[in-house]
Amino acid sequence: MRKKVAFYTLGCKLNFSETSTIARNFKDEGFDRVDFSENADIYVINTCSVTENADKRFKTIVKQAQKINQDAFVAAVGCYAQLKPEELAAVDGVDLVLGATEKFKITDYINDLSKNDFGEVHSCEIEEADFYVGSYSIGDRTRAFLKVQDGCDYKCTYCTIPLARGISRSDTLENVLKNAKEISEKGIKEIVLTGVNIGDYGKGEFGNKKHEHTFYELVQALDAVEGIERLRISSIEPNLLKNETIDFVAGSRTFVPHFHIPLQSGNDEILKLMRRRYLSDLYVDRVKKIKEVMPHACIGVDVIVGFPGETDDHFLDTYNFLSALDISYLHVFTYSERDNTVAVDLEGVVPLDIRKKRSKMLRGLSAKKRRAFYESQLGTERTVLFESENKEGYIHGFTENYVKVKMPWNPSYINTLNTVRLTEIDDDGIVRFEFI
């Protein structure tokens, strides 16, 4: 009997791409992949540590697996597994915890699937996470996440990612292009470039900090790969998003007019406390430049509320800054204290109820921004890539500039690109269209 393995991924697109690669390793070892809701011999949970909530969800997911099969072997990998291995190992039902360097070698650790009384830990000092393992996700959706970079050399005061993933390092250009070709040959229409700090692309392995290629060169090379229909840049730091890249995307064959650019605060004092590598003026410049060459571009923004020292005035600066900016939506994060970060010792702790109130205000602003952006796109012609899920009798899709659309369910449209005219916004905020 072939053994069965199931995966649960918490967190970012990068985690999804890595889960997919780990799953292919299991397949090569003779395992069959099943859904996490099904009976499996092994449950692998790829963890995240960006928010407090992700930590708590881990325990719930372990319980979920145990309900389905109490004798199943449960393994934890990923960022939280690197940061707090002993804590995860102590969770009832967890058998194996693998840190940053071990997660891609998981199949080496599971010859014996008998349950352990206490989770076995294999994690490294994070300094040892200096080599690069490429990955990409396929099979889960109509778009693939292609990892091009890992780790981060930035020292933002609130962030544990450098502790969880190590130094900034990149895949070779040759390997990225090979993976992109493999993905397109599988009939996937859209590739999303992902990493921890993708604008830093080109730094070598083993602490070799020379940039062999720049992010701009990567974008140019990918645009020339035959068979790729759409390329999307995931999150990129404002100081690393150069004019040459923006201009190239504007005239590109495959790159779509959609940028996600972390801001974190619209107040310069707070940006300095966060040790971000830019001030608000540079952010305004980036948005203006994008809108100048791509007026229809979608721009998403990450923002953190309730950072230590953030007064009402600081928060209002952020609110007004974002309100005046020509952006399309926000991802709002409520600041949560993380061990071993500088911010945890800063003065001016913001009470939780105020953090929640500020978060709610910005989520409201995000809804307004998205609505205004969608309204600005009505009457325009766009290309839609349809997704594979039946959501209450509808099939959904996204335009190249990230407008979400829907029509009555028709499976023949799954993973197809279609030219449409956007016509109206439905009661649920999703856009209707007509085929052209």
Side-chain angles (χ1 to χ4, degrees), residues 13 38 50 114 158 188 226 231 243 254 300 309-310 324 330 343 366 381 394 402 424:
K13 295 180 175 80
E38 294 175 48
V50 170
S114 53
Y158 52 82
I188 290 168
E226 298 261 329
L231 284 156
N243 283 349
T254 52
E310 184 186 66
L330 306 172
S366 178
E381 286 184 20
Y394 287 94
Y402 215 55
E424 61 182 312

Side-chain angles (χ1 to χ4, degrees), residues 299-301 303 319 322-323 327-332 358-376 425-431:
I299 302 175
V301 183
V303 60
Y319 187 94
L322 288 165
S323 188
I327 53 162
S328 317
Y329 64 89
L330 306 172
H331 280 174
V332 184
R358 290 175 185 173
S359 178
K360 196 176 173 185
M361 281 176 72
L362 282 185
R363 286 177 210 278
L365 178 62
S366 178
K368 278 187 206 158
K369 286 284 184 185
R370 194 184 295 272
R371 177 87 191 191
F373 176 62
Y374 281 8
E375 282 173 356
S376 77
I425 303 173
D426 218 341
D427 293 342
D428 58 5
I430 301 172
V431 177

Side-chain angles (χ1 to χ4, degrees), residues 22 40 71 84 96 119 140 154 156 160 170 248 250 261 306 312 322 353 363 369 376 390 396 417:
I22 293 165
D71 299 320
K84 301 276 180 79
L96 178 67
D140 311 332
Y154 287 9
C156 302
T160 55
S170 313
F248 185 82
I261 315 168
D312 286 345
L322 288 165
D353 59 330
R363 286 177 210 278
K369 286 284 184 185
S376 77
N390 182 341
H396 290 159
L417 286 158

Side-chain angles (χ1 to χ4, degrees), residues 7 54 94 116 129 157 162 169 173 185 189 232 243 275 297 313 359 381 407:
F7 297 88
V94 173
N116 293 324
T157 52
R169 55 211 189 271
L173 187 58
E185 281 163 5
K189 300 282 194 289
R232 200 178 290 275
N243 283 349
R275 288 192 199 154
D313 285 346
S359 178
E381 286 184 20
M407 71 171 184

Side-chain angles (χ1 to χ4, degrees), residues 7-8 15 19 23 39 113 121 128 219 221 267 274 296 301 309-310 315 330 351 358 365 405 413 431 433:
F7 297 88
Y8 197 108
N15 271 4
T19 297
N39 195 314
L113 292 182
V121 172
E128 292 166 35
V219 165
N267 174 276
M274 290 175 165
H296 58 298
V301 183
E310 184 186 66
F315 172 71
L330 306 172
R358 290 175 185 173
L365 178 62
V405 304
Y413 282 95
V431 177
F433 61 87

Side-chain angles (χ1 to χ4, degrees), residues 160-433:
T160 55
I161 297 289
L163 300 173
R165 283 189 169 268
I167 58 171
S168 177
R169 55 211 189 271
S170 313
D171 207 347
T172 62
L173 187 58
E174 182 189 24
N175 202 45
V176 172
L177 298 178
K178 179 181 81 69
N179 286 342
K181 224 173 175 38
E182 269 177 36
I183 292 166
S184 69
E185 281 163 5
K186 288 176 167 63
I188 290 168
K189 300 282 194 289
E190 181 174 307
I191 296 175
V192 183
L193 301 186
T194 182
V196 174
N197 187 359
I198 62 172
D200 202 28
Y201 174 81
K203 281 187 178 168
E205 298 186 293
F206 311 114
N208 162 21
K209 286 304 169 200
K210 189 176 137 291
H211 273 269
E212 194 175 347
H213 293 99
T214 63
F215 182 69
Y216 177 52
E217 287 167 335
L218 172 75
V219 165
Q220 286 177 301
L222 279 166
D223 195 53
V225 175
E226 298 261 329
I228 298 175
E229 306 258 5
R230 269 189 184 182
L231 284 156
R232 200 178 290 275
I233 297 167
S234 64
S235 185
I236 183 164
E237 293 284 305
N239 52 306
L240 295 175
L241 178 56
K242 307 294 185 196
N243 283 349
E244 57 187 9
T245 304
I246 295 169
D247 284 331
F248 185 82
V249 168
S252 160
R253 180 182 67 87
T254 52
F255 276 91
V256 296
H258 176 205
F259 295 87
H260 193 93
I261 315 168
L263 167 69
Q264 312 308 15
S265 175
N267 174 276
D268 287 347
E269 275 178 59
I270 298 296
L271 286 174
K272 285 174 187 170
L273 280 176
M274 290 175 165
R275 288 192 199 154
R276 300 293 285 159
R277 298 200 176 193
Y278 54 86
L279 295 174
S280 56
D281 279 357
L282 178 109
Y283 200 93
V284 172
D285 284 350
R286 298 300 77 209
V287 171
K288 276 186 179 158
K289 172 65 184 171
I290 291 166
K291 288 293 186 174
E292 204 176 278
V293 292
M294 290 170 275
H296 58 298
C298 177
I299 302 175
V301 183
D302 285 342
V303 60
I304 295 170
V305 296
F307 187 78
E310 184 186 66
T311 63
D312 286 345
D313 285 346
H314 290 141
F315 172 71
L316 282 174
D317 281 351
T318 296
Y319 187 94
N320 294 331
F321 178 81
L322 288 165
S323 188
L325 215 50
D326 191 0
I327 53 162
S328 317
Y329 64 89
L330 306 172
H331 280 174
V332 184
F333 297 90
T334 305
Y335 171 76
S336 61
E337 284 77 3
R338 317 305 289 156
D339 290 345
N340 303 315
T341 59
V342 173
V344 84
D345 297 319
L346 292 177
E347 291 175 1
V349 173
V350 178
L352 279 176
D353 59 330
I354 293 175
R355 292 185 213 183
K356 283 178 182 161
K357 186 180 158 198
R358 290 175 185 173
S359 178
K360 196 176 173 185
M361 281 176 72
L362 282 185
R363 286 177 210 278
L365 178 62
S366 178
K368 278 187 206 158
K369 286 284 184 185
R370 194 184 295 272
R371 177 87 191 191
F373 176 62
Y374 281 8
E375 282 173 356
S376 77
Q377 296 305 298
L378 295 180
T380 63
E381 286 184 20
R382 295 282 167 242
T383 308
V384 171
L385 174 61
F386 286 101
E387 312 260 309
S388 55
E389 221 177 318
N390 182 341
K391 292 187 179 170
E392 294 170 4
Y394 287 94
I395 186 168
H396 290 159
F398 285 92
T399 63
E400 66 273 38
N401 61 340
Y402 215 55
V403 174
K404 190 175 187 178
V405 304
K406 70 174 188 181
M407 71 171 184
W409 173 251
N410 183 338
S412 66
Y413 282 95
I414 290 171
N415 197 33
T416 64
L417 286 158
N418 297 268
T419 308
V420 306
R421 181 177 288 106
L422 305 180
T423 55
E424 61 182 312
I425 303 173
D426 218 341
D427 293 342
D428 58 5
I430 301 172
V431 177
R432 297 278 194 162
F433 61 87

Side-chain angles (χ1 to χ4, degrees), residues 138-150:
I138 51 169
D140 311 332
R141 353 173 141 217
T142 47
R143 61 177 65 88
F145 299 128
L146 172 57
K147 173 182 166 186
V148 299
Q149 182 274 343
D150 200 350

